[in-house]
Amino acid sequence: MTSSGTRPMTPAARRVLDVATELFYTRGINTVGMELVAERAGVTKKTIYDRFGSKQQLVVQYLRARDARWREHLDAYLGRADAPRARVAATFEALDDWMGAENPRGCAMVNAYAELSDPEHPGRAVAEDQKRGLRDLYADLAARAGADDPAALGDALAMLHEGAVVARNVTGVADAARTARAAADALMTVHGAA
Amino acid sequence: MTSSGTRPMTPAARRVLDVATELFYTRGINTVGMELVAERAGVTKKTIYDRFGSKQQLVVQYLRARDARWREHLDAYLGRADAPRARVAATFEALDDWMGAENPRGCAMVNAYAELSDPEHPGRAVAEDQKRGLRDLYADLAARAGADDPAALGDALAMLHEGAVVARNVTGVADAARTARAAADALMTVHGAA
DNA sequence: TTGTGAGTATACCGACCGGTATGTTTACCT
DNA sequence: AGGTAAACATACCGGTCGGTATACTCACAA
């Protein structure tokens, strides 16, 4: 994944992806037509299909872009913490701020998973990878913290994380991430994490 | 909401709702057209629009039916447990069996919330009510268990519940509900629940 | 027996969907 | 100066969408 592997986007393609990211997230993938994307990006459909090939591939790019933004956001928070337990706390803080700033419609991956019911749609794999990555992160932190049964603890932390997103999005629980963080901390204590 | 308020459905309407429930859940609401619903129910579109008025209202009925099925399932499990803590465990057991039997595509409410991006769509309120009900259930059980900060504990339990659904659906964690149940039990201990 | 509600069959509406075709213009690189 | 990639504009394709209109059959109940 060096820079040579990722071809630089043309200015129009960038605009298309930015617009699609916004529209797909806020209105849903199936609700947004390519014509609207083209119009909002100040581009013709021709250009989109020349650059992205199909809506399916544009959707994949959208999901990758969302994931990359979240990873970037998260890494900034992880960079400030060192001990495993502090890093778990930092992850929930990252989630809290993320939800406040960029997540008014819940998790883009979960939403896409709901919309893309076709098992063959490549967008599903992107969502699966993202969730697998989050699960691995928590499992890794649980293990590094010296917890007993780190796999189970990691899964529980990931569930609190995911559940907080739903709670905030659907139920409107404003302090969901902070509640999840406190519960996560308690669970780490129970599991004897350092 | 007495029985006089719920008009009995005509046989064709029942078939339509059953078919729509299955199709909307497994393929997604926006992906399924009314023509397909009509065909699978052995009914003309005319009949559907005579009985349900619009797709929007059929969707609302679908969500209510799913919720009713889940409530029925849950009540069967709650009926067997008495103490608050045992009832929490029973709820997670209900979830475990529910996911194994009727939930291959995750939570219908969360999925619908993702698909129905229009804030005016009445289906959103059904999903919100369902999640609010679940939150209230856990908060009530936490309070009855004599936990300190029952609101926070209840929210945490609800998040584990919701997170388990996502973990199982997207990440494929088969024992998600059991892991969530164990974490929930540990949290109850931490909060001094009886 | 006569009306009424339920359902059928078929045809249609305008709007939009994802995707393609043809051809033109702009701008930068060698 | 010439070539090439990028973006333009426009018009079109077959198909599906939610929803409506018309006219018919059937069963049952007053």
Side-chain angles (χ1 to χ4, degrees):
Chain A
M1 302 297 172
T2 64
S3 64
S4 68
T6 309
R7 292 248 313 291
M9 275 187 184
T10 65
R14 255 257 73 89
R15 258 151 46 217
V16 167
L17 185 53
D18 287 346
V19 163
T21 297
E22 168 74 12
L23 285 175
F24 286 159
Y25 178 67
T26 59
R27 302 196 195 180
I29 294 167
N30 293 329
T31 319
V32 172
M34 296 295 270
E35 199 130 358
L36 178 61
V37 174
E39 180 199 312
R40 296 279 266 257
V43 148
T44 57
K45 280 206 287 177
K46 177 76 162 56
T47 301
I48 300 186
Y49 280 91
D50 283 348
R51 300 297 130 220
F52 294 92
S54 67
K55 183 179 186 178
Q56 201 177 79
Q57 290 172 63
L58 178 59
V59 168
V60 168
Q61 295 282 83
Y62 147 59
L63 291 172
R64 291 217 181 106
R66 271 290 292 197
D67 182 37
R69 265 238 292 278
W70 155 252
R71 286 292 324 188
E72 213 175 308
H73 176 87
L74 173 61
D75 285 345
Y77 285 73
L78 285 177
R80 294 185 217 127
D82 216 42
R85 192 151 179 171
R87 286 168 78 83
V88 168
T91 304
F92 280 94
E93 278 164 35
L95 177 63
D96 196 14
D97 292 345
W98 174 261
M99 289 201 294
E102 308 224 44
N103 223 39
R105 282 256 305 147
C107 176
M109 304 299 150
V110 171
N111 291 355
Y113 217 73
E115 287 206 83
L116 310 177
S117 57
D118 176 8
E120 304 297 316
H121 197 295
R124 289 178 71 89
V126 179
E128 287 161 12
D129 286 350
Q130 209 260 312
K131 292 306 166 218
R132 188 160 23 239
L134 195 73
R135 188 191 186 201
D136 290 347
L137 170 67
Y138 280 117
D140 179 65
L141 290 176
R144 282 182 202 272
D148 48 81
D149 204 346
L153 175 58
D155 277 351
L157 299 182
M159 289 178 205
L160 284 170
H161 179 119
E162 222 57 63
V165 177
V166 174
R168 166 130 184 184
N169 180 39
V170 183
T171 325
V173 183
D175 61 348
R178 286 185 295 278
T179 301
R181 178 191 156 167
D185 200 65
L187 280 181
M188 293 199 75
T189 300
V190 171
H191 278 74
Chain B
M1 300 298 171
T2 66
S3 64
S4 68
T6 309
R7 292 248 311 293
M9 273 187 186
T10 66
R14 255 260 70 88
R15 260 151 45 217
V16 167
L17 184 53
D18 288 346
V19 163
T21 297
E22 168 74 13
L23 285 175
F24 285 160
Y25 178 66
T26 59
R27 302 197 196 179
I29 294 167
N30 293 329
T31 319
V32 172
M34 296 296 270
E35 200 130 358
L36 178 61
V37 174
E39 180 199 312
R40 295 281 266 258
V43 147
T44 58
K45 280 205 289 178
K46 178 74 162 56
T47 300
I48 300 187
Y49 279 92
D50 283 349
R51 299 296 127 220
F52 295 92
S54 67
K55 182 177 187 180
Q56 201 177 77
Q57 290 173 60
L58 179 58
V59 168
V60 168
Q61 295 283 83
Y62 146 60
L63 292 172
R64 291 215 181 108
R66 271 289 293 195
D67 182 38
R69 266 237 294 277
W70 154 251
R71 285 293 323 188
E72 213 175 309
H73 176 87
L74 173 61
D75 285 345
Y77 284 73
L78 285 178
R80 294 185 216 129
D82 216 42
R85 192 152 178 172
R87 288 168 76 83
V88 168
T91 304
F92 280 94
E93 278 164 34
L95 176 64
D96 195 14
D97 292 345
W98 174 261
M99 288 202 293
E102 307 225 45
N103 223 39
R105 282 257 302 149
C107 176
M109 305 298 149
V110 171
N111 291 354
Y113 217 74
E115 287 206 82
L116 309 178
S117 58
D118 176 7
E120 303 297 316
H121 197 296
R124 289 177 71 89
V126 179
E128 287 161 12
D129 286 350
Q130 209 261 311
K131 291 309 166 215
R132 188 160 24 238
L134 196 72
R135 188 191 186 201
D136 290 347
L137 169 68
Y138 280 116
D140 179 66
L141 291 176
R144 283 182 201 273
D148 47 80
D149 204 347
L153 175 57
D155 277 352
L157 298 182
M159 289 178 205
L160 283 170
H161 179 119
E162 222 56 63
V165 177
V166 175
R168 167 129 182 183
N169 181 39
V170 183
T171 324
V173 183
D175 61 349
R178 287 185 293 279
T179 301
R181 179 192 155 165
D185 199 65
L187 280 182
M188 293 198 75
T189 300
V190 171
H191 278 74

